[in-house]
Amino acid sequence: MAEHLASIFGTEKDRVNCPFYFKIGACRHGDRCSRLHNRPTISPTLLLSNMYQRPDMITPGVDPQGQPLDPTKIQAHFEDFYEDIFEELDKFGEMESLNVCDNLADHMIGNVYVLFKEEDQAAAALKALQGRFYSGRPIIADFSPVTDFREATCRQYEEDNCNRGGYCNFMHVKQISRELRRKLFGRYRRSYRRGSRSRSRSRSISPRRKRERGDVRERGGDRDRHGNGKRSSDRSERHDRDGGGRRRHGGSPRRSRSPVVREGSEERRARIEQWNKERDEGV
């Protein structure tokens, strides 16, 4: 039973917990939802509800006076807001992602999701944002259960074919330019490079490693002096050989056995008589 409940947690089959709040951190029913909204007590993700006020809030592409808006000006307005929020939240730690919803439904419009690298950074940011205002409106911040935005974003919107438009229940993440992304998030890559260089410079070689390196240099010097690292005697032996592998006449002499001189029959008889005589005298 417990395994079954764990397998359906946060899905449509879960009749107790709200799947939309679990995936998106927001639900169109709000507090009137028939399922539970399990609000996390700690999370690396913060939700700033309805924070971004787009210039075409009433009708997309049209200002409140009914005049059409230039899309480039709408994008410039959004990127100014994005950079402003990024610079403020960057004071509390490194961010892995900062997403702003382009949805039009009341529970998602202007929502800002910020995913910090560490939970304590998100907690510090949440504490600092309490009671603050942005553009004359109070900032409503809270921890969010969303840590994987791949499950929260609308795939059809990313492919530019979502038929629900701005009232889709999944996140339509508004994109920023590559130049702005490189400017903001590129600082983390540069800090990583500086940190790695400083760590490599600060590494000290232990005395044991120094001795080992010295031994390697000495062995390397021997290899330089004697060719491929073999002993000099092997090399001299190789030089003593000619192209066919035979030794030259001037090579090192081998040991030669002394020739055996065979005795004649008379000499053998005389030696035997001498042995017999010495034996008789001894007796």
Side-chain angles (χ1 to χ4, degrees):
M1 185 64 180
E3 294 180 358
H4 174 70
L5 294 176
S7 63
I8 66 174
F9 180 80
T11 65
E12 292 293 338
K13 296 181 180 180
D14 190 352
R15 297 301 176 185
V16 178
N17 303 287
C18 179
F20 281 99
Y21 183 81
F22 178 74
K23 292 180 180 179
I24 307 172
C27 174
R28 62 190 179 94
H29 299 292
D31 295 335
R32 299 189 305 271
C33 183
S34 60
R35 304 182 189 182
L36 294 178
H37 293 176
N38 295 304
R39 303 181 186 277
T41 57
I42 188 67
S43 174
T45 307
L46 291 183
L47 169 60
L48 312 180
S49 300
N50 310 123
M51 187 172 184
Y52 175 58
Q53 298 292 303
R54 48 191 294 170
D56 53 347
M57 289 284 292
I58 300 175
T59 305
V62 180
D63 64 7
Q65 287 75 31
Q67 299 297 323
L69 290 172
D70 186 357
T72 58
K73 293 183 178 179
I74 296 177
Q75 183 67 20
H77 177 272
F78 168 68
E79 292 192 355
D80 289 341
F81 166 82
Y82 191 98
E83 185 174 4
D84 194 13
I85 296 300
F86 186 96
E87 295 294 346
E88 180 65 25
L89 296 176
D90 184 57
K91 300 176 183 178
F92 306 101
E94 179 180 346
M95 289 173 283
E96 293 187 357
S97 61
L98 177 62
N99 296 324
V100 181
C101 286
D102 200 25
N103 303 65
L104 296 176
D106 292 339
H107 66 292
M108 296 188 68
I109 186 170
N111 283 359
V112 178
Y113 295 82
V114 51
L115 174 61
F116 285 94
K117 191 173 183 180
E118 303 293 342
E119 291 180 346
D120 56 349
Q121 298 169 347
L126 178 62
K127 182 179 180 181
L129 292 175
Q130 297 297 329
R132 294 185 60 179
F133 288 75
Y134 182 84
S135 187
R137 300 175 63 251
I139 299 176
I140 303 174
D142 202 355
F143 288 121
S144 173
V146 182
T147 56
D148 187 357
F149 290 99
R150 293 174 299 180
E151 296 292 331
T153 55
C154 177
R155 298 177 182 176
Q156 286 76 19
Y157 175 77
E158 294 176 350
E159 298 172 357
D160 200 19
N161 61 358
C162 180
N163 55 10
R164 295 185 178 181
Y167 294 93
C168 179
N169 285 325
F170 288 92
M171 291 171 56
H172 290 187
V173 178
K174 196 170 180 61
Q175 300 297 324
I176 60 175
S177 63
R178 292 183 179 180
E179 292 76 13
L180 182 59
R181 182 169 298 276
R182 189 180 302 111
K183 173 185 175 182
L184 298 178
F185 289 93
R187 67 184 65 179
Y188 299 137
R189 300 190 186 95
R190 291 192 293 270
S191 63
Y192 288 151
R193 294 193 190 102
R194 288 194 297 268
S196 61
R197 285 199 296 268
S198 62
R199 286 194 297 271
S200 62
R201 290 174 182 174
S202 63
R203 289 176 181 172
S204 59
I205 303 175
S206 62
R208 180 180 177 182
R209 291 291 298 277
K210 289 182 179 180
R211 289 195 300 270
E212 291 176 354
R213 288 190 178 186
D215 295 341
V216 170
R217 291 195 186 97
E218 291 178 1
R219 289 195 297 270
D222 293 340
R223 284 196 293 269
D224 293 339
R225 288 193 296 272
H226 301 307
N228 295 328
K230 295 182 179 180
R231 290 177 298 181
S232 59
S233 59
D234 296 340
R235 186 179 179 187
S236 63
E237 183 179 352
R238 186 171 62 253
H239 282 291
D240 288 342
R241 295 178 180 274
D242 57 9
R246 297 179 180 177
R247 291 184 179 274
R248 296 179 181 176
H249 295 293
S252 58
R254 286 187 175 181
R255 279 187 174 182
S256 60
R257 295 182 180 180
S258 58
V260 180
V261 181
R262 299 181 65 84
E263 298 178 346
S265 59
E266 294 182 357
E267 294 176 351
R268 286 199 300 274
R269 292 192 191 102
R271 186 180 295 276
I272 292 171
E273 289 178 359
Q274 181 68 24
W275 289 343
N276 293 333
K277 184 178 180 181
E278 291 177 355
R279 186 184 60 185
D280 294 340
E281 289 178 355
V283 175

mmCIF file of all heavy atoms in Angstrom, residues 246-265:
data_model
loop_
_atom_site.group_PDB
_atom_site.id
_atom_site.type_symbol
_atom_site.label_atom_id
_atom_site.label_comp_id
_atom_site.label_asym_id
_atom_site.label_seq_id
_atom_site.Cartn_x
_atom_site.Cartn_y
_atom_site.Cartn_z
ATOM 1 N N ARG A 246 76.643 -9.829 -36.589
ATOM 2 C CA ARG A 246 77.842 -10.553 -36.175
ATOM 3 C C ARG A 246 78.806 -9.607 -35.497
ATOM 4 O O ARG A 246 78.852 -8.420 -35.770
ATOM 5 C CB ARG A 246 78.519 -11.179 -37.399
ATOM 6 C CG ARG A 246 77.633 -12.216 -38.098
ATOM 7 C CD ARG A 246 78.354 -12.767 -39.305
ATOM 8 N NE ARG A 246 77.521 -13.758 -39.982
ATOM 9 C CZ ARG A 246 77.895 -14.366 -41.108
ATOM 10 N NH1 ARG A 246 79.073 -14.071 -41.672
ATOM 11 N NH2 ARG A 246 77.095 -15.257 -41.668
ATOM 12 N N ARG A 247 79.654 -10.177 -34.656
ATOM 13 C CA ARG A 247 80.638 -9.363 -33.961
ATOM 14 C C ARG A 247 81.809 -9.066 -34.889
ATOM 15 O O ARG A 247 82.186 -9.868 -35.726
ATOM 16 C CB ARG A 247 81.171 -10.084 -32.705
ATOM 17 C CG ARG A 247 80.142 -10.210 -31.609
ATOM 18 C CD ARG A 247 80.773 -10.826 -30.388
ATOM 19 N NE ARG A 247 79.799 -10.937 -29.318
ATOM 20 C CZ ARG A 247 79.534 -9.973 -28.462
ATOM 21 N NH1 ARG A 247 80.176 -8.841 -28.571
ATOM 22 N NH2 ARG A 247 78.632 -10.136 -27.511
ATOM 23 N N ARG A 248 82.335 -7.867 -34.700
ATOM 24 C CA ARG A 248 83.521 -7.494 -35.454
ATOM 25 C C ARG A 248 84.742 -8.188 -34.860
ATOM 26 O O ARG A 248 84.739 -8.647 -33.727
ATOM 27 C CB ARG A 248 83.702 -5.974 -35.433
ATOM 28 C CG ARG A 248 82.556 -5.227 -36.143
ATOM 29 C CD ARG A 248 82.794 -3.755 -36.066
ATOM 30 N NE ARG A 248 81.693 -3.039 -36.727
ATOM 31 C CZ ARG A 248 81.591 -1.714 -36.750
ATOM 32 N NH1 ARG A 248 82.529 -0.996 -36.159
ATOM 33 N NH2 ARG A 248 80.586 -1.139 -37.373
ATOM 34 N N HIS A 249 85.811 -8.163 -35.665
ATOM 35 C CA HIS A 249 87.053 -8.809 -35.192
ATOM 36 C C HIS A 249 87.627 -8.070 -34.002
ATOM 37 O O HIS A 249 88.326 -8.648 -33.174
ATOM 38 C CB HIS A 249 88.069 -8.852 -36.332
ATOM 39 C CG HIS A 249 87.601 -9.745 -37.477
ATOM 40 N ND1 HIS A 249 87.463 -11.105 -37.349
ATOM 41 C CD2 HIS A 249 87.213 -9.413 -38.740
ATOM 42 C CE1 HIS A 249 87.027 -11.619 -38.491
ATOM 43 N NE2 HIS A 249 86.871 -10.603 -39.362
ATOM 44 N N GLY A 250 87.355 -6.778 -33.897
ATOM 45 C CA GLY A 250 87.928 -6.006 -32.788
ATOM 46 C C GLY A 250 87.083 -6.022 -31.556
ATOM 47 O O GLY A 250 87.303 -5.223 -30.656
ATOM 48 N N GLY A 251 86.096 -6.922 -31.489
ATOM 49 C CA GLY A 251 85.208 -6.953 -30.334
ATOM 50 C C GLY A 251 85.889 -7.556 -29.128
ATOM 51 O O GLY A 251 87.057 -7.938 -29.147
ATOM 52 N N SER A 252 85.131 -7.640 -28.052
ATOM 53 C CA SER A 252 85.690 -8.186 -26.818
ATOM 54 C C SER A 252 85.983 -9.675 -27.004
ATOM 55 O O SER A 252 85.150 -10.422 -27.516
ATOM 56 C CB SER A 252 84.691 -7.999 -25.676
ATOM 57 O OG SER A 252 83.484 -8.618 -26.005
ATOM 58 N N PRO A 253 87.221 -10.175 -26.636
ATOM 59 C CA PRO A 253 87.604 -11.585 -26.852
ATOM 60 C C PRO A 253 86.826 -12.501 -25.934
ATOM 61 O O PRO A 253 86.494 -12.150 -24.810
ATOM 62 C CB PRO A 253 89.094 -11.596 -26.522
ATOM 63 C CG PRO A 253 89.264 -10.484 -25.548
ATOM 64 C CD PRO A 253 88.288 -9.410 -25.949
ATOM 65 N N ARG A 254 86.488 -13.680 -26.470
ATOM 66 C CA ARG A 254 85.831 -14.684 -25.659
ATOM 67 C C ARG A 254 86.883 -15.542 -24.960
ATOM 68 O O ARG A 254 88.038 -15.594 -25.354
ATOM 69 C CB ARG A 254 84.974 -15.591 -26.534
ATOM 70 C CG ARG A 254 83.686 -14.931 -27.024
ATOM 71 C CD ARG A 254 82.861 -15.973 -27.732
ATOM 72 N NE ARG A 254 81.573 -15.417 -28.125
ATOM 73 C CZ ARG A 254 80.647 -16.144 -28.744
ATOM 74 N NH1 ARG A 254 80.895 -17.423 -29.025
ATOM 75 N NH2 ARG A 254 79.501 -15.598 -29.088
ATOM 76 N N ARG A 255 86.470 -16.225 -23.948
ATOM 77 C CA ARG A 255 87.359 -17.175 -23.288
ATOM 78 C C ARG A 255 87.601 -18.371 -24.205
ATOM 79 O O ARG A 255 86.652 -18.978 -24.674
ATOM 80 C CB ARG A 255 86.749 -17.656 -21.972
ATOM 81 C CG ARG A 255 86.934 -16.693 -20.831
ATOM 82 C CD ARG A 255 86.447 -17.362 -19.571
ATOM 83 N NE ARG A 255 86.718 -16.540 -18.418
ATOM 84 C CZ ARG A 255 86.438 -16.887 -17.177
ATOM 85 N NH1 ARG A 255 85.843 -18.034 -16.965
ATOM 86 N NH2 ARG A 255 86.741 -16.104 -16.171
ATOM 87 N N SER A 256 88.877 -18.741 -24.392
ATOM 88 C CA SER A 256 89.210 -19.902 -25.236
ATOM 89 C C SER A 256 89.732 -21.034 -24.363
ATOM 90 O O SER A 256 90.570 -20.817 -23.486
ATOM 91 C CB SER A 256 90.268 -19.530 -26.286
ATOM 92 O OG SER A 256 91.452 -19.077 -25.664
ATOM 93 N N ARG A 257 89.230 -22.227 -24.590
ATOM 94 C CA ARG A 257 89.676 -23.379 -23.818
ATOM 95 C C ARG A 257 91.057 -23.829 -24.291
ATOM 96 O O ARG A 257 91.350 -23.834 -25.484
ATOM 97 C CB ARG A 257 88.691 -24.533 -23.982
ATOM 98 C CG ARG A 257 87.314 -24.236 -23.398
ATOM 99 C CD ARG A 257 86.445 -25.450 -23.573
ATOM 100 N NE ARG A 257 85.108 -25.173 -23.012
ATOM 101 C CZ ARG A 257 84.121 -26.063 -23.024
ATOM 102 N NH1 ARG A 257 84.327 -27.254 -23.587
ATOM 103 N NH2 ARG A 257 82.951 -25.767 -22.498
ATOM 104 N N SER A 258 91.926 -24.225 -23.318
ATOM 105 C CA SER A 258 93.264 -24.716 -23.674
ATOM 106 C C SER A 258 93.141 -26.079 -24.347
ATOM 107 O O SER A 258 92.373 -26.926 -23.909
ATOM 108 C CB SER A 258 94.141 -24.843 -22.416
ATOM 109 O OG SER A 258 93.523 -25.700 -21.495
ATOM 110 N N PRO A 259 93.888 -26.342 -25.409
ATOM 111 C CA PRO A 259 93.786 -27.627 -26.116
ATOM 112 C C PRO A 259 94.265 -28.775 -25.239
ATOM 113 O O PRO A 259 95.212 -28.663 -24.481
ATOM 114 C CB PRO A 259 94.685 -27.421 -27.329
ATOM 115 C CG PRO A 259 95.619 -26.342 -26.946
ATOM 116 C CD PRO A 259 94.889 -25.436 -26.024
ATOM 117 N N VAL A 260 93.587 -29.914 -25.293
ATOM 118 C CA VAL A 260 93.954 -31.116 -24.508
ATOM 119 C C VAL A 260 95.043 -31.888 -25.241
ATOM 120 O O VAL A 260 94.880 -32.262 -26.416
ATOM 121 C CB VAL A 260 92.714 -32.011 -24.312
ATOM 122 C CG1 VAL A 260 93.078 -33.246 -23.516
ATOM 123 C CG2 VAL A 260 91.610 -31.212 -23.613
ATOM 124 N N VAL A 261 96.192 -32.138 -24.551
ATOM 125 C CA VAL A 261 97.330 -32.871 -25.118
ATOM 126 C C VAL A 261 97.234 -34.330 -24.705
ATOM 127 O O VAL A 261 97.234 -34.650 -23.514
ATOM 128 C CB VAL A 261 98.679 -32.276 -24.643
ATOM 129 C CG1 VAL A 261 99.825 -33.041 -25.274
ATOM 130 C CG2 VAL A 261 98.739 -30.789 -24.992
ATOM 131 N N ARG A 262 97.072 -35.205 -25.657
ATOM 132 C CA ARG A 262 96.937 -36.633 -25.373
ATOM 133 C C ARG A 262 98.317 -37.263 -25.231
ATOM 134 O O ARG A 262 99.234 -36.993 -25.987
ATOM 135 C CB ARG A 262 96.157 -37.321 -26.496
ATOM 136 C CG ARG A 262 94.745 -36.760 -26.646
ATOM 137 C CD ARG A 262 94.036 -37.511 -27.760
ATOM 138 N NE ARG A 262 93.846 -38.904 -27.415
ATOM 139 C CZ ARG A 262 92.839 -39.368 -26.676
ATOM 140 N NH1 ARG A 262 91.925 -38.523 -26.208
ATOM 141 N NH2 ARG A 262 92.739 -40.668 -26.410
ATOM 142 N N GLU A 263 98.501 -38.124 -24.183
ATOM 143 C CA GLU A 263 99.791 -38.778 -23.920
ATOM 144 C C GLU A 263 99.949 -40.034 -24.797
ATOM 145 O O GLU A 263 98.960 -40.685 -25.149
ATOM 146 C CB GLU A 263 99.888 -39.191 -22.447
ATOM 147 C CG GLU A 263 99.827 -38.007 -21.495
ATOM 148 C CD GLU A 263 99.868 -38.478 -20.066
ATOM 149 O OE1 GLU A 263 99.673 -39.693 -19.862
ATOM 150 O OE2 GLU A 263 100.089 -37.648 -19.160
ATOM 151 N N GLY A 264 101.207 -40.348 -25.095
ATOM 152 C CA GLY A 264 101.497 -41.555 -25.860
ATOM 153 C C GLY A 264 101.485 -42.821 -24.983
ATOM 154 O O GLY A 264 101.428 -42.754 -23.757
ATOM 155 N N SER A 265 101.560 -43.989 -25.616
ATOM 156 C CA SER A 265 101.491 -45.257 -24.868
ATOM 157 C C SER A 265 102.701 -45.450 -23.974
ATOM 158 O O SER A 265 102.585 -45.951 -22.848
ATOM 159 C CB SER A 265 101.360 -46.420 -25.855
ATOM 160 O OG SER A 265 102.471 -46.436 -26.747
#
